[in-house]
Amino acid sequence: MNKNRLEYYKGNIYLCGFMASGKSTLAKTLATRMEREDCDLDEVIVEKEGKSIREIFDENGEVYFREKEREYLLELTREFKGIVSLGGGALHNQHIVDHLKVSGLLVFVDTSLEVISERVFNNSERPILFDKEGKIKTKETLFTELKTLYLEREDLYKQAQIHIKTQLYNSVNEMADGLIAKISRHV
Ligand code: S3P
């Protein structure tokens, strides 16, 4: 690894991937290792809107959430320097993918749907867990819906310059090391 080149790399590193894939935890560890700032797009939205993600979905609707998600992400690409963890739906279209790849490196955090579905089912405030009446969906319904959504988004995630399969690592520290090795081959 060429340590100097990595130290001099000033572009942002964007972590994308499906919900509950471990992007935020990895972003924090990576930021510590690389001695850079980290930022979570969902947290920015919550802070700026003064509501939880679920409240925004319930009170303002998904279209509003996506509009804000896009606005704050574009703002981050201009004003923030460091590691950015994106929400699972933040790659809205080809234009955003192209923009992120020019503004920095896009990393796809690839976690299996089985693991994701368990995480969302067992410990989640994520809107997809709830039906129209606010009741928790069955495991089977949740898995089917997650799979459909994943297949719709997969093509955009896969355009990332770097892919990291989380199941190949035993800990987030190992994963961060693996990712740093991959990043250093790109800068
Ligand atoms: C979403 C993913 C969430 C959050 C919102 C919508 C999605 O972020 O932005 O609940 O549509 O995939 P995480 O990927 O951090 O869970």
Side-chain angles (χ1 to χ4, degrees), residues 17-21 23-24 40 42 45 53 57 62 65-66 69 85-89 126-127 149 153 157:
F18 211 36
M19 63 184 81
S21 57
K23 291 162 294 194
S24 309
D40 185 309
D42 280 346
I45 300 170
I53 303 280
F57 268 75
E62 180 168 357
F65 174 81
R66 297 299 172 198
E69 187 176 48
S85 169
L86 304 173
R126 289 174 177 90
L149 193 57
R153 294 174 175 175
Y157 296 147

Side-chain angles (χ1 to χ4, degrees), residues 9-76:
Y9 179 67
K10 292 292 173 248
N12 281 350
I13 295 170
Y14 300 99
L15 302 192
C16 74
F18 211 36
M19 63 184 81
S21 57
K23 291 162 294 194
S24 309
T25 318
L26 180 56
K28 285 192 175 61
T29 309
L30 190 65
T32 308
R33 289 287 169 95
M34 293 181 72
E35 298 180 356
R36 299 198 61 182
E37 294 291 313
D38 81 284
C39 172
D40 185 309
L41 179 59
D42 280 346
E43 283 175 15
V44 172
I45 300 170
V46 168
E47 193 180 310
K48 295 214 181 202
E49 295 295 306
K51 293 177 186 179
S52 71
I53 303 280
R54 202 174 153 205
E55 279 166 352
I56 302 172
F57 268 75
D58 287 348
E59 293 168 21
N60 307 89
E62 180 168 357
V63 173
Y64 176 87
F65 174 81
R66 297 299 172 198
E67 219 171 85
K68 292 293 156 192
E69 187 176 48
R70 181 173 166 281
E71 183 184 323
Y72 299 141
L73 174 56
L74 294 179
E75 219 171 86
L76 282 178

Side-chain angles (χ1 to χ4, degrees), residues 90-137:
L91 301 184
H92 296 181
N93 53 36
Q94 189 62 47
H95 171 74
I96 291 190
V97 172
D98 293 343
H99 182 65
L100 296 178
K101 286 170 74 174
V102 172
S103 134
L105 276 175
L106 186 60
V107 176
F108 172 29
V109 181
D110 186 1
T111 299
S112 78
L113 262 185
E114 285 71 21
V115 170
I116 284 173
S117 185
E118 277 302 307
R119 285 183 189 164
V120 174
F121 189 77
N122 290 319
N123 178 17
S124 184
E125 268 289 297
R126 289 174 177 90
I128 197 164
L129 181 60
F130 305 93
D131 65 17
K132 286 198 188 83
E133 282 85 45
K135 286 203 223 98
I136 291 183
K137 291 171 187 165

